[in-house]
């Protein structure tokens, strides 16, 4: 068993399932017990940094809100710009927006229009990959701004949903994650 497998096991044991949150039928993967363990946070950051280093990225695009936690640490450690992607109406300056489908209805995310320099290699980070709709929308915003999607990273992948296939199909890169449920 290598270091990443051991870390994956630790995450599996530490992430807390919350049944029927935020609505009936959803099992919410609560990462706050992970955040309460500094040694685990350190180990996760190291593995995410190693993945990002190999991609030679120019910026981290992180998705509100839980993506900001490790996204911030990644940007700091790699010494690259941190770019927030937020729900509609939350960013103060001029934005570009992308609407995407949810199971029922739709959602819109935004990024500042000047956040990405044309030609930048960008890593998109969030805590969890489910259907892939949010991460794909962030990827399309990066492309619209003239950036290249170099990769995606997550702590958790929900393998019973087609998020990983969606991202590799639309962007030609396999998403990286530390544990799959
Ligand atoms: P999706 O767009 O379906 O891939 O959903 C990913 C986004 O929704 C991420 O920002 C996750 O934090 C959040 N999310 C979706 N499903 C869950 C879940 N079961 N537990 C925790 N967060 C989730």
């Amino acid at each position: 068993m290598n270091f990443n497998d051991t870390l994956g096991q630790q995450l599996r044991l530490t992430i807390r399932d919350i049944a029927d949150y935020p609505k009936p039928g959803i099992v919410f993967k609560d990462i706050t017990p992970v955040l309460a363990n500094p040694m685990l946070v350190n180990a996760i950051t190291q593995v995410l940094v190693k993945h990002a280093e190999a991609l030679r990225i120019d910026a981290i695009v992180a998705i509100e809100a839980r993506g900001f936690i490790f996204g911030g640490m990644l940007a700091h450690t790699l010494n690259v710009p941190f770019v927030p992607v937020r729900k509609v109406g939350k960013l103060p300056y001029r934005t570009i927006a992308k609407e995407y489908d949810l199971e029922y209805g739709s959602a819109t995310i935004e990024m500042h229009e000047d956040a990405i320099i044309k030609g930048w290699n960008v890593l998109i980070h969030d805590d969890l990959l489910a259907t892939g709709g949010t991460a794909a929308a962030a990827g399309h915003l990066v492309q619209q701004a003239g950036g290249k999607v170099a990769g995606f990273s997550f702590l958790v992948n929900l393998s019973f949903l087609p998020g990983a296939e969606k991202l590799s199909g639309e962007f030609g890169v396999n998403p990286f994650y530390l544990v799959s449920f």
Side-chain angles (χ1 to χ4, degrees):
M1 199 180 257
N2 69 28
F3 178 72
N4 286 6
D5 292 337
T6 313
L7 182 57
Q9 287 295 355
Q10 264 184 287
L11 279 174
R12 188 180 291 284
L13 295 171
T14 310
I15 289 167
R16 177 164 58 187
D17 281 0
I18 312 286
D20 299 318
Y21 182 87
K23 48 187 180 185
I26 305 280
V27 178
F28 189 85
K29 296 291 183 190
D30 175 20
I31 64 161
T32 61
V34 174
L35 303 177
N37 182 335
M39 267 166 55
L40 204 44
V41 167
N42 232 321
I44 291 165
T45 308
Q46 272 183 42
V47 175
L48 292 176
V49 163
K50 207 168 159 207
H51 164 256
E53 272 172 350
L55 299 173
R56 309 201 152 274
I57 54 159
D58 301 299
I60 302 278
V61 164
I63 300 170
E64 178 181 4
R66 289 179 297 280
F68 289 179
I69 301 163
F70 286 96
M73 287 192 252
L74 273 171
H76 171 76
T77 308
L78 295 165
N79 200 30
V80 297
F82 174 90
V83 176
V85 161
R86 299 201 63 182
K87 293 181 184 103
V88 67
K90 297 283 188 185
L91 287 168
Y93 184 58
R94 289 202 298 270
T95 59
I96 53 174
K98 179 78 186 167
E99 192 181 349
Y100 61 100
D101 291 333
L102 298 174
E103 198 178 352
Y104 303 103
S106 67
T108 302
I109 53 170
E110 293 184 323
M111 185 174 76
H112 277 154
E113 65 173 19
D114 63 351
I116 302 282
I117 307 279
K118 283 191 187 9
W120 268 4
N121 246 353
V122 173
L123 173 70
I124 294 167
H125 174 79
D126 200 358
D127 68 324
L128 180 141
L129 173 61
T131 66
T134 315
H140 293 302
L141 284 179
V142 167
Q143 290 177 334
Q144 194 184 328
K148 283 183 278 192
V149 178
F152 293 91
S153 73
F154 305 89
L155 270 55
V156 180
N157 172 47
L158 299 184
S159 59
F160 53 89
L161 293 170
E165 293 76 15
K166 179 179 173 67
L167 296 182
S168 45
E170 287 183 31
F171 297 94
V173 289
N174 289 327
F176 179 79
Y177 43 80
L178 298 170
V179 64
S180 230
F181 289 93

